[in-house]
Amino acid sequence: MFELYKAECRRFRWWALGAGALHAGTLLFFDRVVDPLQQPAMIYELVAAIYAGAGVLLGLFQAGSYARINQWIALLHRPLSPRHVLVAVAGGSATMLAAAVLVPIALLLVGHDLIGSRFVDTRHWLLGFSGLLIALTGLMGGIYAALSPRRYGWLVLIPALLPTVSMAVGWAAVAVQAGVLVLLALLVASVFKPDLAEPPRTVAGLGGTAIAAAMGAYLLLVVAGDLVFQTLWIATGTHPLNGMPPRGGVTEATRADGAVLMEAGLAGRQDDQARIWREQVRLSEVFGVTPTIKWLPVRGELTNAAPMEFDDERRGARWTFSHDDMRFHGVRLSDGAALGTLGVDGGFEAPPLPIDGGRLIAGGSLFAFDTDDGAIHRRIRLPAGETIVAPPSMVGTTLAVTSNRALRLYDARVLDGNAGSDAPLATVPLPAPVGGLMRLDLIELLDGYLVSFTYARGGVDGPANAWQQVVQVKGVGPGQLVSGRPLTPDFPFVTRFAPYWISPALNVARDLAENAGGGAVPMAEREPVRIPLSIWIAAGLLALLSAAGAALLARRRQLGLRPGAAWTLATLALGPPMLLAFWLIRPTRTA
């Protein structure tokens, strides 16, 4: 076994040396031009795709060269079990791939820490392990694609894309990647057998393959089905996102001018006060407040929501935030000399996100960097349990700050520390969880504000309810609801709830897998989706029909009572995706 392992290492040693040298040279070059550890998430995603692609190509080449019948017989005709042969062969390519990926990243991190006064956080070392796991996952995927039957192997690989949509951060993200790698390695072991055309022979291998294929079929039906449907809809010229949207719908509300939207929100009232408000809307400037940003920094995350740094042009300094000590580390731009650290009294409650104007948001506080004294000062502190979820916006002479609980309006002088107090001029509690808030518009009245909340995230082509509320605000007290209206979904009922009626069980499994290790994310807070009774009935009928189809298919293939019952029950639980997996896998009576 060890000799076979060494032979595989020797086989790929020059490829590994060349790829590693190219990898190291590229990383070290970029380290001299930019700070590779402070790039936005999309850069890391691009690099991860390159690692995964390299692993896939290596796996396809290695396993593909052995998968020919003569080479396959010669490989397995050894005094070793197929599992030991797999460990030796895959272990050799994995070792060379690890050297080409991990060593250059380690050199980058060591060199980064030694150049000038740059620092490396603990989370940055995790990037190396993450890159290695992604590359090895690609390797296992390539091997599986080369050895598995073509009719279903590609479907089994779709769930391996889970890390691309996972909400996990830090160590949890590494754990998710490691879990996917382990499961994929087990699937590779199930196809590493003398007869490559047959499905796995063991119960565990066949069961794992069936579940993975069913999840792949489910994702394909949901995502690809929606894409095909929308493409055909666009071709007809009636798609609401590609032309004049229907009146009273979600798309119209999200695109409308602020004044038009507020008037539509007040249309349900015909009293004198409502007519006065509509007139004020026509005459006043309607301010749009940015409701939320996509992602807030989380301590220990592998990537960055945005570069965690800002420049002090007056002193020629750059301040970069460290997750380890929760302070900014300064570097002089001219020569890279260290300038010490910079923090705030009481410390940052969360990693700060730099925004325009030298300001930072971190948890429930707004900070500002003062170029005069070179220090960071806290300007606004929200009540405990609240998190600022959007960059502050100017609303006339006031400052609007949106948290996960309320909209607050402040004297704009609070940004300069000249307001005398950071107490809000007005507070408007959000009518629902902030994750569903798509638009926030308001006007100034003589005695307060008129605020329009439009909740439509997940309601354009998804199952969430969409609606608009208009609230009158006077001072710091709670606002008074003056009008509201539901927004009509623009997409068909069937497509909006497709993930639920196709397979409720797989939909729950997908949600659990995507959210595992994600922690509390304010923008993920939403109202529970209300599933209509008709959707549950449709899902039940589809499951029953699929189970009947599985029973007939099992009888036709003469699987026997116990295997046939197992496939039928699995199809009853998971619905049409499992029936599709059963049809493609084609288990035999002895499987």
Side-chain angles (χ1 to χ4, degrees):
M1 174 178 165
F2 187 63
E3 293 299 323
L4 181 58
Y5 166 76
K6 289 194 300 182
E8 288 301 300
C9 288
R10 288 194 298 269
R11 181 187 180 192
F12 294 110
R13 66 185 185 277
W14 294 115
W15 287 100
L17 182 61
L22 177 62
H23 185 201
T26 303
L27 292 179
L28 294 176
F29 168 76
F30 279 106
D31 190 46
R32 300 302 301 268
V33 178
V34 297
D35 187 347
L37 302 181
Q38 296 299 325
Q39 299 305 303
M42 62 177 294
I43 301 299
Y44 297 104
E45 292 167 357
L46 175 61
V47 174
I50 294 174
Y51 291 159
V56 168
L57 292 176
L58 177 59
L60 287 172
F61 174 78
Q62 183 189 31
S65 63
Y66 283 125
R68 301 180 183 91
I69 187 64
N70 292 335
Q71 287 90 337
W72 190 246
I73 294 175
L75 178 66
L76 293 185
H77 192 66
R78 298 166 184 267
L80 292 172
S81 68
R83 297 293 174 85
H84 286 89
V85 174
L86 170 61
V87 171
V89 172
S93 59
T95 300
M96 293 298 97
L97 182 62
V101 171
L102 195 56
V103 172
I105 295 177
L107 291 175
L108 166 69
L109 295 176
V110 172
H112 190 88
D113 206 17
L114 295 177
I115 295 175
S117 60
R118 290 181 174 182
F119 64 91
V120 176
D121 276 343
T122 302
R123 68 190 184 105
H124 294 141
W125 290 102
L126 290 179
L127 281 173
F129 293 104
S130 176
L132 174 60
L133 291 172
I134 290 172
L136 293 178
T137 300
L139 174 67
M140 291 296 106
I143 294 175
Y144 187 86
L147 300 181
S148 62
R150 300 291 184 270
R151 62 181 179 271
Y152 67 81
W154 58 276
L155 201 62
V156 173
L157 291 175
I158 293 178
L161 299 175
L162 169 65
T164 63
V165 295
S166 173
M167 298 289 289
V169 296
W171 282 103
V174 174
V176 168
Q177 294 164 3
V180 171
L181 174 60
V182 170
L183 293 176
L184 197 52
L186 293 176
L187 289 174
V188 169
S190 72
V191 298
F192 204 87
K193 57 189 186 321
D195 190 350
L196 293 177
E198 291 295 321
R201 293 288 180 174
T202 64
V203 174
L206 185 60
T209 300
I211 292 175
M215 178 58 79
Y218 170 78
L219 296 174
L220 187 69
L221 290 172
V222 171
V223 178
D226 180 69
L227 180 62
V228 170
F229 168 75
Q230 294 207 44
T231 301
L232 295 176
W233 198 2
I234 290 173
T236 65
T238 59
H239 197 289
L241 301 181
N242 197 37
M244 183 64 68
R247 293 186 59 83
V250 176
T251 306
E252 182 190 51
T254 56
R255 293 180 178 179
D257 175 77
V260 174
L261 180 62
M262 293 195 74
E263 281 198 70
L266 293 168
R269 287 185 53 168
Q270 301 299 324
D271 58 309
D272 292 339
Q273 182 60 65
R275 285 192 289 271
I276 294 174
W277 281 330
R278 283 193 287 271
E279 186 64 28
Q280 288 179 302
V281 168
R282 298 188 191 101
L283 298 176
S284 304
E285 180 179 1
V286 179
F287 298 95
V289 178
T290 304
T292 61
I293 54 179
K294 184 177 181 180
W295 188 261
L296 291 173
V298 178
R299 188 174 186 181
E301 63 185 353
L302 298 183
T303 59
N304 306 306
M308 306 290 290
E309 59 186 12
F310 66 91
D311 291 345
D312 179 3
E313 297 181 358
R314 176 178 294 186
R315 296 170 181 80
R318 174 165 295 161
W319 295 96
T320 305
F321 188 76
S322 168
H323 283 232
D324 284 353
D325 59 12
M326 297 292 281
R327 295 179 66 85
F328 282 91
H329 292 237
V331 174
R332 192 159 51 222
L333 294 175
S334 58
D335 57 6
L339 297 176
T341 63
L342 186 63
V344 294
D345 293 337
F348 294 104
E349 55 192 284
L353 178 67
I355 54 179
D356 295 337
R359 296 189 288 272
L360 308 102
I361 54 177
S365 297
L366 173 67
F367 300 91
F369 176 74
D370 192 332
T371 56
D372 293 332
D373 61 9
I376 299 175
H377 302 279
R378 193 188 309 267
R379 299 305 189 196
I380 294 174
R381 185 198 293 269
L382 301 184
E386 292 197 30
T387 300
I388 298 176
V389 297
S393 305
M394 291 303 301
V395 178
T397 59
T398 60
L399 181 74
V401 176
T402 306
S403 79
N404 60 328
R405 296 289 180 266
L407 168 70
R408 287 182 172 83
L409 301 172
Y410 296 86
D411 186 331
R413 293 175 299 172
V414 73
L415 294 176
D416 304 318
N418 299 321
S421 170
D422 66 348
L425 304 175
T427 300
V428 193
L430 299 185
V434 70
L437 183 60
M438 180 169 279
R439 284 192 63 165
L440 206 165
D441 304 87
L442 61 89
I443 64 168
E444 291 185 273
L445 303 174
L446 295 177
D447 56 349
Y449 301 88
L450 202 62
V451 186
S452 168
F453 297 96
T454 303
Y455 277 77
R457 291 195 187 276
V460 178
D461 57 354
N465 290 329
W467 43 272
Q468 179 188 5
Q469 275 191 13
V470 181
V471 176
Q472 182 187 20
V473 182
K474 296 182 179 180
V476 296
Q480 177 186 359
L481 175 64
V482 299
S483 184
R485 61 168 180 150
L487 298 175
T488 305
D490 298 319
F491 279 61
F493 180 79
V494 172
T495 62
R496 291 174 55 230
F497 289 93
Y500 297 88
W501 58 259
I502 290 177
S503 177
L506 290 176
N507 182 66
V508 171
R510 181 191 66 172
D511 290 342
L512 291 175
E514 290 181 0
N515 296 322
V521 181
M523 280 72 73
E525 299 174 2
R526 297 194 180 183
E527 292 182 300
V529 175
R530 299 175 183 174
I531 311 300
L533 179 61
S534 57
I535 293 297
W536 291 118
I537 294 174
L541 290 176
L542 274 176
L544 289 172
L545 290 174
S546 299
L552 292 174
L553 196 57
R555 182 177 179 181
R556 182 177 180 181
R557 292 175 178 172
Q558 300 180 344
L559 290 187
L561 180 60
R562 293 180 63 182
W567 279 104
T568 301
L569 291 175
T571 305
L572 180 63
L574 302 184
M578 181 56 81
L579 177 60
L580 179 59
F582 183 27
W583 178 67
L584 291 174
I585 293 174
R586 301 177 190 171
T588 62
R589 185 180 180 87
T590 57

